[in-house]
Coordinates of all heavy atoms in Angstrom, one line a residue:
M1 N 92.0 100.8 84.5 CA 90.7 101.5 84.3 C 90.8 102.7 83.4 O 91.7 103.5 83.5 CB 90.3 102.0 85.7 CG 89.1 102.8 85.7 SD 88.5 103.1 87.4 CE 86.8 103.3 87.0
N2 N 90.0 102.7 82.4 CA 90.0 103.8 81.4 C 89.0 104.8 81.8 O 87.8 104.6 81.8 CB 89.7 103.2 80.0 CG 89.8 104.2 78.9 OD1 90.1 105.4 79.1 ND2 89.5 103.8 77.7
L3 N 89.5 106.0 82.1 CA 88.7 107.1 82.5 C 88.5 108.2 81.4 O 87.8 109.2 81.7 CB 89.3 107.8 83.7 CG 89.4 106.9 85.0 CD1 90.1 107.7 86.1 CD2 88.1 106.4 85.4
T4 N 89.0 108.0 80.2 CA 88.9 109.0 79.2 C 87.5 109.3 78.8 O 87.2 110.5 78.5 CB 89.7 108.6 78.0 OG1 89.3 107.3 77.5 CG2 91.2 108.6 78.3
N5 N 86.6 108.4 78.7 CA 85.2 108.6 78.3 C 84.2 108.4 79.4 O 83.1 108.3 79.2 CB 84.9 107.6 77.1 CG 85.7 107.9 75.9 OD1 86.0 109.0 75.6 ND2 86.1 106.8 75.2
L6 N 84.7 108.5 80.6 CA 83.8 108.4 81.8 C 83.0 109.6 82.0 O 83.5 110.7 82.3 CB 84.7 108.0 83.0 CG 83.9 107.6 84.3 CD1 83.2 106.3 84.0 CD2 84.9 107.5 85.4
P7 N 81.7 109.5 81.9 CA 80.8 110.7 82.1 C 80.7 111.0 83.6 O 80.9 110.1 84.4 CB 79.5 110.3 81.5 CG 79.4 108.8 81.7 CD 80.9 108.3 81.5
L8 N 80.4 112.2 83.9 CA 80.2 112.6 85.3 C 78.8 112.3 85.6 O 77.8 113.0 85.3 CB 80.4 114.1 85.5 CG 81.9 114.6 85.4 CD1 81.9 116.1 85.6 CD2 82.7 114.0 86.6
E9 N 78.6 111.1 86.3 CA 77.3 110.7 86.7 C 77.3 110.5 88.2 O 78.3 110.2 88.7 CB 76.9 109.4 85.9 CG 76.7 109.6 84.5 CD 76.3 108.3 83.8 OE1 75.9 107.3 84.4 OE2 76.2 108.3 82.5
P10 N 76.1 110.6 88.8 CA 76.1 110.4 90.2 C 76.7 109.1 90.7 O 77.4 109.0 91.7 CB 74.6 110.6 90.6 CG 74.0 111.3 89.5 CD 74.8 110.9 88.2
R11 N 76.3 108.0 90.1 CA 76.8 106.7 90.6 C 77.5 105.9 89.4 O 76.9 105.8 88.4 CB 75.5 105.9 90.9 CG 75.2 105.5 92.3 CD 76.2 105.4 93.3 NE 75.6 105.2 94.6 CZ 76.3 105.4 95.7 NH1 77.5 105.7 95.7 NH2 75.7 105.2 96.8
Q12 N 78.6 105.4 89.7 CA 79.4 104.6 88.8 C 79.8 103.3 89.4 O 80.2 103.3 90.6 CB 80.7 105.3 88.3 CG 80.5 106.5 87.4 CD 80.0 106.0 86.0 OE1 80.5 105.0 85.5 NE2 79.2 106.8 85.4
V13 N 79.7 102.2 88.7 CA 80.2 100.9 89.1 C 81.7 100.9 88.9 O 82.1 101.3 87.8 CB 79.5 99.7 88.4 CG1 80.2 98.4 88.7 CG2 78.0 99.7 88.7
V14 N 82.4 100.6 89.9 CA 83.9 100.6 89.8 C 84.3 99.1 89.7 O 84.1 98.3 90.6 CB 84.5 101.3 91.0 CG1 86.0 101.3 90.9 CG2 84.0 102.7 91.2
E15 N 85.0 98.8 88.6 CA 85.5 97.5 88.4 C 86.8 97.3 89.1 O 87.8 97.8 88.6 CB 85.6 97.2 86.9 CG 84.2 97.1 86.2 CD 84.3 96.7 84.8 OE1 85.2 96.0 84.4 OE2 83.4 97.1 84.0
V16 N 86.8 96.6 90.2 CA 88.0 96.3 91.0 C 88.0 94.8 91.3 O 86.9 94.2 91.5 CB 88.0 97.1 92.3 CG1 89.2 97.0 93.1 CG2 87.7 98.6 92.0
D17 N 89.2 94.2 91.4 CA 89.2 92.8 91.9 C 88.5 92.7 93.2 O 88.5 93.6 94.0 CB 90.7 92.4 92.1 CG 91.4 92.1 90.8 OD1 90.7 91.8 89.8 OD2 92.6 92.1 90.8
W18 N 87.8 91.6 93.3 CA 87.0 91.4 94.5 C 87.8 91.4 95.8 O 87.4 91.9 96.8 CB 86.2 90.0 94.4 CG 85.1 90.1 93.4 CD1 85.1 89.8 92.1 CD2 83.8 90.7 93.7 NE1 83.9 90.1 91.5 CE2 83.1 90.6 92.4 CE3 83.1 91.2 94.8 CZ2 81.8 91.0 92.3 CZ3 81.8 91.6 94.6 CH2 81.2 91.5 93.4
C19 N 89.0 90.9 95.7 CA 89.9 90.9 96.9 C 90.4 92.3 97.3 O 90.7 92.6 98.4 CB 91.1 90.0 96.7 SG 92.1 90.4 95.3
D20 N 90.3 93.3 96.3 CA 90.8 94.6 96.6 C 89.7 95.6 96.9 O 89.9 96.7 97.3 CB 91.7 95.2 95.4 CG 92.9 94.4 95.3 OD1 93.5 93.9 96.3 OD2 93.4 94.3 94.1
R21 N 88.5 95.2 96.6 CA 87.4 96.2 96.6 C 87.1 96.8 98.0 O 86.8 98.0 98.1 CB 86.1 95.7 96.0 CG 85.4 94.6 96.8 CD 84.3 94.0 96.0 NE 83.6 93.0 96.8 CZ 82.4 93.1 97.3 NH1 81.7 94.2 97.0 NH2 81.9 92.2 98.1
W22 N 87.3 96.1 99.1 CA 87.1 96.7 100.4 C 88.2 97.7 100.7 O 87.9 98.7 101.4 CB 87.0 95.6 101.5 CG 85.7 94.8 101.4 CD1 85.5 93.6 100.9 CD2 84.4 95.3 101.7 NE1 84.2 93.2 100.9 CE2 83.5 94.3 101.4 CE3 83.9 96.5 102.2 CZ2 82.1 94.4 101.6 CZ3 82.5 96.7 102.4 CH2 81.6 95.6 102.1
I23 N 89.4 97.4 100.3 CA 90.5 98.3 100.6 C 90.2 99.6 99.8 O 90.4 100.7 100.3 CB 91.9 97.7 100.2 CG1 92.1 96.5 101.0 CG2 93.0 98.7 100.2 CD1 93.3 95.6 100.5
V24 N 89.8 99.5 98.5 CA 89.5 100.6 97.7 C 88.4 101.4 98.3 O 88.4 102.6 98.4 CB 89.2 100.2 96.2 CG1 88.7 101.4 95.4 CG2 90.5 99.6 95.6
Y25 N 87.3 100.7 98.7 CA 86.2 101.3 99.3 C 86.6 102.2 100.5 O 86.2 103.3 100.6 CB 85.2 100.2 99.8 CG 84.1 100.7 100.7 CD1 83.0 101.4 100.3 CD2 84.2 100.4 102.1 CE1 82.0 101.8 101.1 CE2 83.2 100.9 103.0 CZ 82.1 101.6 102.5 OH 81.2 102.0 103.3
H26 N 87.4 101.6 101.4 CA 87.8 102.4 102.6 C 88.6 103.6 102.3 O 88.5 104.6 102.9 CB 88.5 101.5 103.6 CG 87.6 100.5 104.3 ND1 86.6 100.9 105.2 CD2 87.4 99.2 104.2 CE1 85.9 99.9 105.6 NE2 86.4 98.8 105.0
R27 N 89.5 103.4 101.3 CA 90.3 104.6 100.8 C 89.5 105.7 100.2 O 89.7 106.9 100.5 CB 91.4 104.1 99.9 CG 92.3 105.2 99.4 CD 93.1 105.8 100.6 NE 93.9 106.9 100.2 CZ 93.9 108.1 100.8 NH1 93.2 108.3 101.9 NH2 94.6 109.1 100.4
L28 N 88.5 105.3 99.4 CA 87.6 106.3 98.8 C 86.8 107.0 99.9 O 86.6 108.2 99.9 CB 86.6 105.7 97.8 CG 87.3 105.1 96.6 CD1 86.2 104.4 95.7 CD2 88.0 106.2 95.8
R29 N 86.4 106.3 101.0 CA 85.7 106.9 102.1 C 86.6 107.9 102.8 O 86.2 109.0 103.2 CB 85.2 105.9 103.1 CG 84.2 104.9 102.5 CD 82.9 105.5 102.2 NE 82.3 105.9 103.5 CZ 81.0 106.1 103.7 NH1 80.2 106.0 102.7 NH2 80.6 106.4 104.9
E30 N 87.9 107.6 103.0 CA 88.8 108.5 103.6 C 89.0 109.8 102.8 O 89.2 110.8 103.3 CB 90.2 107.8 103.7 CG 90.3 106.7 104.8 CD 91.6 106.0 104.7 OE1 92.4 106.2 103.8 OE2 91.8 105.1 105.6
L31 N 88.8 109.7 101.5 CA 88.9 110.8 100.6 C 87.6 111.5 100.4 O 87.4 112.4 99.6 CB 89.4 110.4 99.2 CG 90.8 109.8 99.1 CD1 91.1 109.1 97.8 CD2 91.8 110.9 99.4
D32 N 86.6 111.2 101.2 CA 85.3 111.8 101.2 C 84.5 111.6 99.9 O 83.8 112.5 99.5 CB 85.3 113.2 101.6 CG 85.7 113.4 103.1 OD1 85.4 112.6 103.9 OD2 86.4 114.4 103.4
I33 N 84.8 110.5 99.2 CA 84.0 110.1 98.0 C 82.9 109.2 98.4 O 83.2 108.1 98.9 CB 85.0 109.5 97.0 CG1 86.0 110.5 96.5 CG2 84.1 109.0 95.8 CD1 87.0 110.0 95.6
P34 N 81.7 109.6 98.3 CA 80.6 108.7 98.7 C 80.6 107.4 97.9 O 80.7 107.5 96.6 CB 79.3 109.5 98.4 CG 79.8 110.9 98.3 CD 81.2 110.9 97.8
C35 N 80.5 106.3 98.5 CA 80.5 105.0 97.8 C 79.8 104.0 98.6 O 79.6 104.1 99.8 CB 82.0 104.6 97.5 SG 83.1 104.5 98.8
S36 N 79.5 102.8 98.0 CA 78.9 101.7 98.7 C 79.5 100.4 98.2 O 79.9 100.3 97.0 CB 77.4 101.7 98.5 OG 77.1 101.5 97.1
C37 N 79.6 99.5 99.1 CA 80.2 98.2 98.8 C 79.5 97.1 99.6 O 79.7 97.0 100.8 CB 81.7 98.2 99.1 SG 82.6 96.8 98.5
E38 N 78.6 96.4 98.9 CA 77.8 95.4 99.6 C 78.3 94.0 99.3 O 79.0 93.8 98.3 CB 76.3 95.5 99.2 CG 75.7 96.9 99.6 CD 74.3 97.0 99.2 OE1 73.6 96.0 99.0 OE2 73.8 98.1 99.0
T39 N 78.0 93.1 100.1 CA 78.5 91.7 99.9 C 77.9 91.2 98.6 O 76.7 91.3 98.3 CB 78.0 90.8 101.1 OG1 78.4 91.4 102.3 CG2 78.5 89.4 100.9
H40 N 78.8 90.6 97.8 CA 78.5 90.0 96.5 C 78.0 91.0 95.5 O 77.3 90.6 94.5 CB 77.5 88.8 96.6 CG 78.0 87.8 97.5 ND1 79.2 87.0 97.3 CD2 77.6 87.3 98.7 CE1 79.4 86.2 98.3 NE2 78.4 86.4 99.2
K41 N 78.3 92.3 95.7 CA 77.9 93.3 94.7 C 79.1 94.2 94.4 O 80.0 94.3 95.2 CB 76.7 94.2 95.3 CG 75.4 93.4 95.4 CD 74.3 94.3 95.8 CE 73.1 93.4 95.9 NZ 71.9 94.2 96.2
P42 N 79.1 94.8 93.2 CA 80.3 95.6 92.9 C 80.3 96.9 93.7 O 79.3 97.4 94.2 CB 80.1 95.9 91.4 CG 78.6 95.8 91.2 CD 78.1 94.8 92.1
L43 N 81.5 97.4 93.8 CA 81.8 98.7 94.4 C 81.1 99.8 93.5 O 81.3 99.8 92.3 CB 83.3 99.0 94.5 CG 83.7 100.3 95.0 CD1 83.3 100.6 96.4 CD2 85.2 100.4 95.0
Q44 N 80.4 100.7 94.2 CA 79.8 101.9 93.5 C 80.3 103.1 94.1 O 80.4 103.2 95.3 CB 78.3 101.8 93.5 CG 77.7 100.7 92.7 CD 76.2 100.8 92.6 OE1 75.6 101.7 93.1 NE2 75.6 99.8 91.9
A45 N 80.6 104.1 93.3 CA 81.1 105.4 93.8 C 80.4 106.5 93.2 O 80.0 106.5 92.0 CB 82.6 105.5 93.5
N46 N 80.2 107.6 93.9 CA 79.6 108.8 93.4 C 80.7 109.7 92.9 O 81.5 110.3 93.7 CB 78.8 109.5 94.6 CG 78.0 110.7 94.1 OD1 78.2 111.2 93.0 ND2 77.1 111.2 94.9
L47 N 80.8 109.9 91.6 CA 81.8 110.6 90.9 C 81.2 111.9 90.4 O 80.9 112.1 89.2 CB 82.5 109.8 89.8 CG 83.0 108.5 90.2 CD1 83.5 107.7 89.0 CD2 84.1 108.6 91.3
S48 N 81.1 112.9 91.3 CA 80.4 114.1 90.9 C 81.3 115.3 90.5 O 80.9 116.4 90.3 CB 79.5 114.6 92.1 OG 80.3 114.7 93.2
S49 N 82.6 115.0 90.5 CA 83.6 116.0 90.1 C 84.8 115.4 89.5 O 85.1 114.2 89.7 CB 84.0 116.8 91.4 OG 84.9 116.0 92.2
P50 N 85.5 116.2 88.7 CA 86.7 115.7 88.1 C 87.8 115.3 89.1 O 88.5 114.3 88.9 CB 87.3 116.9 87.3 CG 86.0 117.7 87.0 CD 85.2 117.5 88.2
T51 N 87.8 115.9 90.2 CA 88.7 115.6 91.3 C 88.4 114.2 91.8 O 89.3 113.4 92.0 CB 88.7 116.6 92.5 OG1 89.0 117.9 92.0 CG2 89.6 116.2 93.6
A52 N 87.2 113.8 92.0 CA 86.8 112.5 92.4 C 87.2 111.4 91.4 O 87.6 110.4 91.8 CB 85.3 112.4 92.7
I53 N 87.1 111.8 90.1 CA 87.5 110.8 89.1 C 89.0 110.6 89.2 O 89.5 109.4 89.1 CB 87.1 111.3 87.7 CG1 85.5 111.3 87.6 CG2 87.7 110.5 86.6 CD1 85.0 111.9 86.3
I54 N 89.8 111.6 89.3 CA 91.2 111.5 89.4 C 91.6 110.7 90.7 O 92.5 109.9 90.6 CB 91.9 112.9 89.4 CG1 91.7 113.5 88.0 CG2 93.4 112.8 89.7 CD1 92.1 115.0 87.9
Q55 N 91.0 111.0 91.8 CA 91.3 110.3 93.0 C 90.9 108.8 92.8 O 91.7 107.9 93.3 CB 90.5 110.9 94.2 CG 91.1 112.2 94.6 CD 90.3 112.9 95.7 OE1 89.1 112.8 95.7 NE2 91.0 113.5 96.6
L56 N 89.8 108.5 92.2 CA 89.4 107.1 92.0 C 90.5 106.4 91.1 O 90.9 105.3 91.4 CB 88.0 107.0 91.3 CG 87.6 105.6 90.8 CD1 87.4 104.7 92.0 CD2 86.4 105.7 89.9
W57 N 90.9 107.1 90.0 CA 91.9 106.5 89.2 C 93.2 106.2 90.0 O 93.8 105.2 89.8 CB 92.2 107.5 88.0 CG 93.4 107.0 87.2 CD1 93.3 106.1 86.1 CD2 94.7 107.4 87.3 NE1 94.5 105.9 85.6 CE2 95.4 106.7 86.3 CE3 95.4 108.2 88.1 CZ2 96.8 106.8 86.1 CZ3 96.8 108.4 88.0 CH2 97.5 107.7 87.0
S58 N 93.6 107.2 90.8 CA 94.8 107.0 91.6 C 94.7 105.8 92.5 O 95.7 105.0 92.6 CB 95.1 108.3 92.3 OG 96.3 108.1 93.1
V59 N 93.6 105.7 93.2 CA 93.4 104.6 94.2 C 93.4 103.3 93.5 O 94.1 102.3 93.9 CB 92.1 104.8 95.0 CG1 91.8 103.6 95.8 CG2 92.3 106.1 95.9
T60 N 92.6 103.2 92.4 CA 92.5 101.9 91.7 C 93.9 101.5 91.0 O 94.2 100.3 91.0 CB 91.4 101.9 90.6 OG1 91.6 102.9 89.7 CG2 90.1 102.0 91.3
K61 N 94.6 102.5 90.6 CA 95.9 102.2 89.9 C 96.9 101.6 90.9 O 97.6 100.7 90.6 CB 96.5 103.5 89.4 CG 97.8 103.4 88.7 CD 97.6 103.5 87.3 CE 99.0 103.6 86.6 NZ 98.9 103.0 85.3
Q62 N 96.8 102.0 92.2 CA 97.7 101.4 93.2 C 97.5 99.9 93.4 O 98.4 99.2 93.7 CB 97.4 102.1 94.6 CG 97.8 103.5 94.7 CD 97.4 104.1 96.0 OE1 97.1 103.4 97.0 NE2 97.3 105.4 96.0
Y63 N 96.3 99.4 93.1 CA 96.0 98.0 93.3 C 95.9 97.2 92.0 O 96.0 96.0 92.0 CB 94.7 97.9 94.0 CG 94.8 98.5 95.4 CD1 94.3 99.7 95.7 CD2 95.5 97.8 96.4 CE1 94.4 100.3 97.0 CE2 95.6 98.4 97.7 CZ 95.1 99.6 97.9 OH 95.2 100.2 99.2
S64 N 95.8 97.9 90.8 CA 95.7 97.2 89.6 C 97.0 97.1 88.8 O 97.2 96.2 88.0 CB 94.6 97.8 88.7 OG 94.9 99.1 88.4
A65 N 97.9 98.1 89.0 CA 99.1 98.1 88.3 C 100.2 97.3 89.0 O 100.2 97.0 90.2 CB 99.6 99.6 88.2
S66 N 101.1 96.8 88.1 CA 102.2 96.0 88.7 C 103.2 97.0 89.4 O 103.2 98.2 89.2 CB 103.0 95.3 87.6 OG 103.6 96.2 86.7
R67 N 104.1 96.4 90.2 CA 105.1 97.2 90.9 C 105.9 98.0 89.9 O 106.2 99.1 90.0 CB 105.9 96.3 91.7 CG 107.1 97.0 92.4 CD 107.8 96.0 93.4 NE 109.1 96.5 93.8 CZ 109.3 97.4 94.8 NH1 108.3 97.9 95.4 NH2 110.5 97.8 95.1
Q68 N 106.3 97.3 88.8 CA 107.2 98.0 87.8 C 106.4 99.1 87.1 O 107.0 100.2 86.8 CB 107.7 96.9 86.7 CG 108.7 97.5 85.8 CD 110.0 98.0 86.6 OE1 110.5 97.3 87.4 NE2 110.3 99.3 86.3
E69 N 105.2 98.9 86.8 CA 104.4 100.0 86.2 C 104.3 101.2 87.1 O 104.5 102.4 86.7 CB 102.9 99.6 85.9 CG 102.8 98.7 84.7 CD 101.3 98.2 84.6 OE1 100.9 97.5 85.5 OE2 100.7 98.6 83.6
L70 N 104.2 101.0 88.4 CA 104.1 102.1 89.4 C 105.5 102.8 89.5 O 105.5 104.0 89.6 CB 103.7 101.6 90.8 CG 102.2 101.1 90.8 CD1 102.0 100.5 92.2 CD2 101.2 102.2 90.5
I71 N 106.5 102.0 89.4 CA 107.9 102.6 89.5 C 108.1 103.5 88.2 O 108.6 104.6 88.3 CB 109.0 101.5 89.6 CG1 108.9 100.9 91.0 CG2 110.4 102.0 89.3 CD1 109.7 99.6 91.1
D72 N 107.8 102.9 87.1 CA 107.9 103.7 85.8 C 107.1 105.0 85.8 O 107.6 106.0 85.4 CB 107.6 102.8 84.6 CG 108.5 101.7 84.4 OD1 109.7 101.7 84.9 OD2 108.1 100.7 83.7
W73 N 105.9 104.9 86.3 CA 105.0 106.1 86.4 C 105.6 107.1 87.3 O 105.6 108.3 87.0 CB 103.6 105.6 86.9 CG 102.6 106.7 87.0 CD1 102.2 107.6 86.0 CD2 102.0 107.1 88.2 NE1 101.3 108.4 86.5 CE2 101.1 108.2 87.9 CE3 102.0 106.7 89.5 CZ2 100.3 108.8 88.8 CZ3 101.2 107.3 90.4 CH2 100.4 108.4 90.1
L74 N 106.1 106.7 88.5 CA 106.7 107.6 89.4 C 108.0 108.3 88.8 O 108.2 109.5 88.9 CB 107.1 106.9 90.7 CG 107.6 107.7 91.9 CD1 106.6 108.8 92.2 CD2 107.9 106.9 93.1
K75 N 108.8 107.5 88.1 CA 110.0 108.1 87.5 C 109.6 109.1 86.4 O 110.2 110.1 86.3 CB 110.8 107.0 86.8 CG 111.6 106.1 87.9 CD 112.4 105.1 87.2 CE 113.2 104.3 88.1 NZ 114.0 103.2 87.5
S76 N 108.5 108.8 85.7 CA 108.1 109.8 84.6 C 107.6 111.1 85.3 O 107.8 112.2 84.7 CB 107.1 109.2 83.7 OG 105.8 109.0 84.4
C77 N 107.0 111.0 86.4 CA 106.5 112.2 87.2 C 107.7 113.0 87.6 O 107.7 114.2 87.5 CB 105.7 111.8 88.4 SG 104.1 111.1 87.9
W78 N 108.8 112.3 88.1 CA 110.0 113.0 88.6 C 110.6 113.7 87.4 O 111.1 114.8 87.5 CB 110.9 112.1 89.2 CG 110.6 111.6 90.6 CD1 109.8 112.3 91.5 CD2 111.0 110.4 91.2 NE1 109.7 111.6 92.6 CE2 110.4 110.4 92.5 CE3 111.7 109.3 90.8 CZ2 110.6 109.4 93.4 CZ3 111.9 108.3 91.8 CH2 111.3 108.3 93.0
N79 N 110.6 113.1 86.2 CA 111.3 113.6 85.0 C 110.5 114.9 84.6 O 111.1 115.8 84.1 CB 111.4 112.6 83.9 CG 112.4 111.6 84.2 OD1 113.4 111.8 84.9 ND2 112.2 110.4 83.6
L80 N 109.2 114.9 84.7 CA 108.4 116.1 84.4 C 108.7 117.3 85.3 O 108.7 118.4 84.8 CB 106.9 115.8 84.5 CG 106.3 114.9 83.4 CD1 104.8 114.6 83.7 CD2 106.4 115.5 82.0
N81 N 109.0 117.0 86.5 CA 109.3 118.1 87.5 C 110.7 118.7 87.2 O 111.0 119.8 87.6 CB 109.2 117.5 88.9 CG 107.8 117.3 89.4 OD1 106.9 118.0 88.9 ND2 107.6 116.5 90.3
K82 N 111.6 117.9 86.6 CA 112.9 118.4 86.3 C 113.0 119.4 85.2 O 113.9 120.1 85.0 CB 113.9 117.2 86.0 CG 114.1 116.4 87.3 CD 115.1 115.3 86.9 CE 115.3 114.4 88.1 NZ 116.2 113.2 87.8
R83 N 111.9 119.4 84.4 CA 111.9 120.3 83.2 C 111.7 121.7 83.5 O 111.1 122.2 84.4 CB 110.9 119.8 82.2 CG 111.2 118.5 81.6 CD 110.2 118.1 80.6 NE 110.5 116.7 80.2 CZ 109.7 116.0 79.4 NH1 108.6 116.5 79.0 NH2 110.1 114.8 79.1

């Protein structure tokens, strides 16, 4: 998911695999991000703050990235902390 040009709008359609959208929906709800997910319709989230956008990115990355991508990303985070 590319978030670089994502405007802060009240409602955004979140492109997530259909098999993962309910898991993402429930996680966003746990993070207090208002969202809706109806049968045969895309997931929609209310992204009213930069924090909500970052949390959305983090949640969707967990389900869209490969295991190796997540490992590499975690290693790069650890390397930043060592500096």
